[in-house]
Amino acid sequence: MNAPTTHSMLTDSFVSAELYTQVQQFYARQMGLIDDRLPEEWASTFTEDAVFEEASRMAPLRGREAIAASCRVRAERLEAEQIDFRHWLAMLDIRPQPDGTLHTRVYALAMRTGRGGPLDIFASVVCRDELVQSDDRWLVRHRELQHDGAER
Amino acid sequence: MNAPTTHSMLTDSFVSAELYTQVQQFYARQMGLIDDRLPEEWASTFTEDAVFEEASRMAPLRGREAIAASCRVRAERLEAEQIDFRHWLAMLDIRPQPDGTLHTRVYALAMRTGRGGPLDIFASVVCRDELVQSDDRWLVRHRELQHDGAER
Amino acid sequence: MNAPTTHSMLTDSFVSAELYTQVQQFYARQMGLIDDRLPEEWASTFTEDAVFEEASRMAPLRGREAIAASCRVRAERLEAEQIDFRHWLAMLDIRPQPDGTLHTRVYALAMRTGRGGPLDIFASVVCRDELVQSDDRWLVRHRELQHDGAER
């Protein structure tokens, strides 16, 4: 049981600085798009056939159009309620796969602030992505969000 | 409307690992200076003519001396009240400009803990900086802080 | 008094992107191990003779076995109470030492979510590590945790 973990902590199992910082930048910009309420731009960071799973909250979203539609509803609601929403991601781990895709695991915090109201950091989530490269861009092909405190 | 965003997610629009991690290190040390209550050292990370804007809280600070003075007042107050203050920055995006400066956008959390008291994470802020290089150092020439929940 | 700090903000005093992202990856995986309740794997990221200090909470742990034992007790308690626990680390600063070891300073947040309960981010901590390289792995030889709000 120790073997895989021990191996995974070898420095040569870490990804390169270039790849690590590319994915850090990808997430900073991607989350900026949803926080800035840009549904089309947000959806464009997923593949056409992407699957977005958040089992404790909703049925899976299948395809870029469903992801855009979900973001539009969300953006309209936040706009109406005048809520600033932020997604923080950190503690990024990247595992390159033999087929060139990347499996990532990253911690996420979801937080919101109403107009004149207090900051509310309300959810800790573990995000597991499959990233694929397409035309010199990284895209999410599969995202699974597990909320802390949810039934497993 | 999609074009700029699409372009910006191209991997060749991401900055190099060396630059990205330099700016990460710059922010870790810079915020460490204000959290450690070192006003002169904090001010030395801004240019002589730097402008520090935080519209929802105060009039702009103009120049390194004003920035140092503001930090001194703050440090004395926190010292008197025995409050440990932390600034967290993450979700860093860097856009190099044609003139060699950097425009950055980074999320910030402000938090404090009184002696024996609970942790209070009380503000989510978006920080937009203009960074310039001088004598092998990065310096902030302009900082704009937008508090979530504030009037726009 | 300015000299050391000024020097430390020179870009050539920042560590390389490769080293910086290696340590970021090390911490993401290491904290993943304690959050995933893997005491043996967690302990294997410390040297055999490691010292783990958290003065405001407990007597120092001395040696890998003591570190594993402490983690086992903790994991069993969290399992029994069905609590999801997360360690976030950020604002990493690395100071390489002449002997090849690394002194790091990094901010940490500790947070937990009970089954069906709210997120509770309850502690801000400054973590200071001494990291050593052994057989192509980074290991913690000394860790000191200072809780914000604790008596100094």
Side-chain angles (χ1 to χ4, degrees), chain B residues 25 29 35-36 84 86 116 136, chain C residues 8 11 13 15 93 107 149:
Chain B
Q25 291 175 80
R29 292 186 186 176
D35 293 345
D36 287 344
D84 292 325
R86 302 287 162 205
D136 218 18
Chain C
S8 73
T11 54
S13 86
V15 301
D93 190 30
Y107 288 177

Side-chain angles (χ1 to χ4, degrees), chain B residues 60-129:
Chain B
L61 302 174
R62 298 186 183 282
R64 192 183 275 173
E65 182 41 41
I67 292 168
S70 171
C71 185
R72 269 193 299 272
V73 169
R74 168 200 172 80
E76 285 163 15
R77 181 171 48 77
L78 293 173
E79 185 72 30
E81 298 178 356
Q82 291 198 292
I83 289 172
D84 292 325
F85 203 104
R86 302 287 162 205
H87 292 83
W88 278 57
L89 268 61
M91 306 302 280
L92 171 66
D93 190 31
I94 302 176
R95 307 282 174 151
Q97 302 300 303
D99 63 0
T101 65
L102 304 178
H103 287 187
T104 67
R105 163 177 153 146
V106 61
Y107 288 178
L109 285 176
M111 62 191 77
R112 55 193 166 202
T113 311
R115 193 66 72 245
L119 170 64
D120 178 26
I121 308 179
F122 65 95
S124 165
V125 177
V126 179
C127 173
R128 287 181 179 81
D129 277 352

Side-chain angles (χ1 to χ4, degrees), chain A residues 16 18 20 23 46 50-51 74 99 119 125 131 136 139 142:
Chain A
S16 71
E18 287 303 330
Y20 197 72
V23 177
F46 293 82
V51 177
R74 166 198 174 82
D99 63 0
L119 169 63
V125 177
L131 300 181
D136 218 18
L139 298 173
H142 188 269

Side-chain angles (χ1 to χ4, degrees), chain A residues 12-140:
Chain A
D12 65 6
S13 86
F14 293 142
V15 302
S16 71
E18 287 303 330
L19 180 57
Y20 197 72
T21 57
Q22 269 190 27
V23 177
Q24 288 180 311
Q25 291 176 79
F26 173 80
Y27 283 129
R29 291 185 185 176
Q30 189 195 36
M31 294 299 144
L33 295 175
I34 191 170
D35 292 344
D36 288 344
R37 299 173 192 163
L38 296 167
E40 308 311 319
E41 291 81 348
W42 162 255
S44 75
T45 63
F46 293 82
T47 64
E48 282 290 353
D49 63 346
V51 177
F52 189 119
E53 299 193 80
E54 195 172 0
S56 61
R57 295 284 176 101
M58 60 181 187
L61 302 173
R62 299 186 182 281
R64 192 183 274 172
E65 182 41 42
I67 291 167
S70 170
C71 185
R72 269 193 298 274
V73 170
R74 166 198 174 82
E76 286 163 14
R77 181 172 48 78
L78 292 172
E79 185 72 31
E81 299 177 356
Q82 291 197 292
I83 290 171
D84 292 325
F85 203 104
R86 302 287 162 204
H87 291 83
W88 279 57
L89 268 60
M91 307 301 281
L92 171 65
D93 190 32
I94 302 176
R95 308 282 174 150
Q97 302 300 303
D99 63 0
T101 64
L102 304 178
H103 287 187
T104 68
R105 163 176 155 148
V106 61
Y107 288 178
L109 285 176
M111 62 190 77
R112 55 194 165 201
T113 311
R115 193 65 72 246
L119 169 63
D120 178 25
I121 309 179
F122 65 96
S124 165
V125 177
V126 179
C127 172
R128 288 182 178 80
D129 276 353
E130 181 188 354
L131 300 181
V132 297
Q133 200 157 17
S134 163
D135 290 339
D136 218 18
R137 306 172 61 200
W138 288 106
L139 298 173
V140 178

